[in-house]
Amino acid sequence: MIMPMHALAEANTNIALVKYWGKNDPTLNLPAVPSLSLTLDGLTTRTEVEFAPSLAADVLLLNSAETGGEPLAKVSRHLDRVALALVGTTERPRARVRTVNNFPTAAGLASSASAFAALTVAAAAALTGGAAAAAGEFEFDRGQLAILARQGSGSAARSLFGGLVVLGVGTPGQVHSAQASQLLASSDWPELRLVIGVVSERAKDTSSTLGMNHTAATSPYFAPFVAAAPLDLLTATQAIKARDLTRLGEVAERSALRMHASAMAADPGVIYLRGSTLEGLHAVRALRQRGVAAFFTCDAGPHPKALTTAADADAVAAALAAVPGVQRTLIARPGEGARVLPLSPEPA
Ligand code: PMV
């Protein structure tokens, strides 16, 4: 019998509360700062990888549409990377990769974090798991696969784990530096919520890699951002251990604003914030004035986001929904780490 080389995996995206921005080693994709994130339930990428000797080239189906160009090239490079690390060669059969986001890609929420985490786990399971992986049973070392996922996208390393997750700073030239690890499982602080205000995007953003490399190369505020990160990580870690939302939220808000300040001070400035993003920030702070524990964050895009609790999530979502330009809101709970699923008879 021919061993199946076919597996299905899913991963949730994550939101950084202490931001990763800047690389210590662009080739190995090693971060210049430590970061900390919350894995989000329900914002999920599901990816099926099938290695087939009959295929002449890798094939990518992204949300059911056959996709070439740079997305396919990135997937192929990542499959080579996983094959080299796990089976010692890039001489692998070509693969059919089907990947689906359960959240709207067009809204600009599609995340490289969930995408590279799911691709890494599915590829590892297909390459090394045999029939057990096809049946959804595959034991894997999350730390080892996080190192591979990180080389596709820094934030993807954190989506290997559920709950609250730390990604360490990288040492240049050392691929195994910048380890990811879980600080708290999703069930350890189940009341946490992340509210997202989905803003329509007219122009395509500068990618996070371009934005952070340009910031590191030209912003006088990049060095102070890097210098402040270890204390932010320490304070956030202590706040999480104490389940202290206010302290954690204050660090998250400051880390996001400092990341954006460093990007805006680049030459020319990298500006992800839109009017709706800033109005979202003010709406969150106005809620806080009224005693609601809510803390603003945002990433390399315009969507205002807020960290809060289950008790206040509806009020926070209503406040963000009232911001001009916010089209709708999502409320996410803490989610699980990446996992392998049994292959379904239908295509994933
Ligand atoms: O993983 P990347 O290369 O897409 O970079 C992520 C950068 C931020 O989302 C802005 C911050 C973070 O830590 O996730």
Side-chain angles (χ1 to χ4, degrees), residues 16 19-21 112 153-155 158 208 212 259 299-300:
K19 298 294 184 193
Y20 150 52
W21 196 247
S112 60
S153 161
S155 54
R158 301 185 308 237
S208 49
M212 67 176 79
M259 175 199 124
D299 292 291

Side-chain angles (χ1 to χ4, degrees), residues 40-343:
L40 301 180
D41 187 46
L43 292 165
T44 311
T45 301
R46 199 173 262 214
T47 299
E48 185 178 337
V49 175
E50 181 178 13
F51 291 99
S54 57
L55 284 174
D58 292 331
V59 179
L60 172 63
L61 286 159
L62 182 57
N63 292 327
S64 304
E66 190 163 340
T67 307
E70 191 47 27
L72 173 63
K74 275 189 183 160
V75 165
S76 292
R77 281 199 298 273
H78 199 64
L79 293 175
D80 287 347
R81 186 179 286 139
V82 174
L84 185 63
L86 300 184
V87 296
T89 176
T90 56
E91 298 292 313
R92 56 172 177 84
R94 299 299 100 186
R96 189 176 292 110
V97 176
R98 292 194 190 94
T99 188
V100 180
N101 292 322
N102 78 343
F103 48 98
T105 312
L109 289 174
S111 168
S112 60
S114 53
F116 276 99
L119 180 64
T120 304
V121 174
L127 281 168
T128 66
E137 283 150 30
F138 178 67
E139 297 290 318
F140 57 98
D141 178 338
R142 290 182 187 274
Q144 183 194 22
L145 294 195
I147 284 166
L148 290 168
R150 188 207 71 225
Q151 293 171 72
S153 161
S155 54
R158 301 185 308 237
S159 279
L160 262 294
F161 296 88
L164 288 147
V165 184
V166 171
L167 175 63
V169 62
T171 306
Q174 294 185 21
V175 72
H176 291 102
S177 62
Q179 301 266 355
S181 58
Q182 185 179 62
L183 207 58
L184 279 190
S186 57
S187 55
D188 289 337
W189 199 352
E191 306 82 30
L192 274 185
R193 294 290 181 275
L194 197 278
V195 183
I196 303 172
V198 181
V199 171
S200 68
E201 274 180 295
R202 278 154 297 180
K204 192 163 163 35
D205 288 313
T206 308
S207 77
S208 49
T209 289
L210 282 177
M212 67 176 79
N213 288 345
H214 179 65
T215 302
T218 66
S219 174
Y221 297 173
F222 182 66
F225 166 76
V226 171
L231 184 59
D232 281 350
L233 180 73
L234 181 67
T235 311
T237 303
Q238 288 168 346
I240 286 165
K241 288 192 173 146
R243 312 288 195 276
D244 183 340
L245 179 69
T246 299
R247 240 171 120 214
L248 177 60
E250 284 168 1
V251 176
E253 206 169 281
R254 149 174 116 211
S255 174
L257 292 175
R258 286 177 179 172
M259 175 199 124
H260 284 280
S262 74
M264 287 165 83
D267 189 14
V270 180
I271 305 171
Y272 294 106
L273 308 176
R274 299 254 166 198
S276 305
T277 332
L278 287 173
E279 291 303 333
L281 160 72
H282 290 299
V284 168
R285 287 193 163 177
L287 280 175
R288 213 149 75 226
Q289 291 278 313
R290 304 212 307 269
V292 176
F295 300 87
F296 170 83
T297 186
C298 72
D299 292 291
H303 314 292
K305 299 164 187 169
L307 183 70
T308 187
T309 60
D312 289 327
D314 286 338
V316 174
L320 286 182
V323 167
V326 170
Q327 297 189 317
R328 60 197 191 89
T329 55
L330 300 169
I331 300 175
R333 303 161 179 260
E336 300 294 321
R339 63 189 183 124
V340 173
L341 301 169
L343 286 169

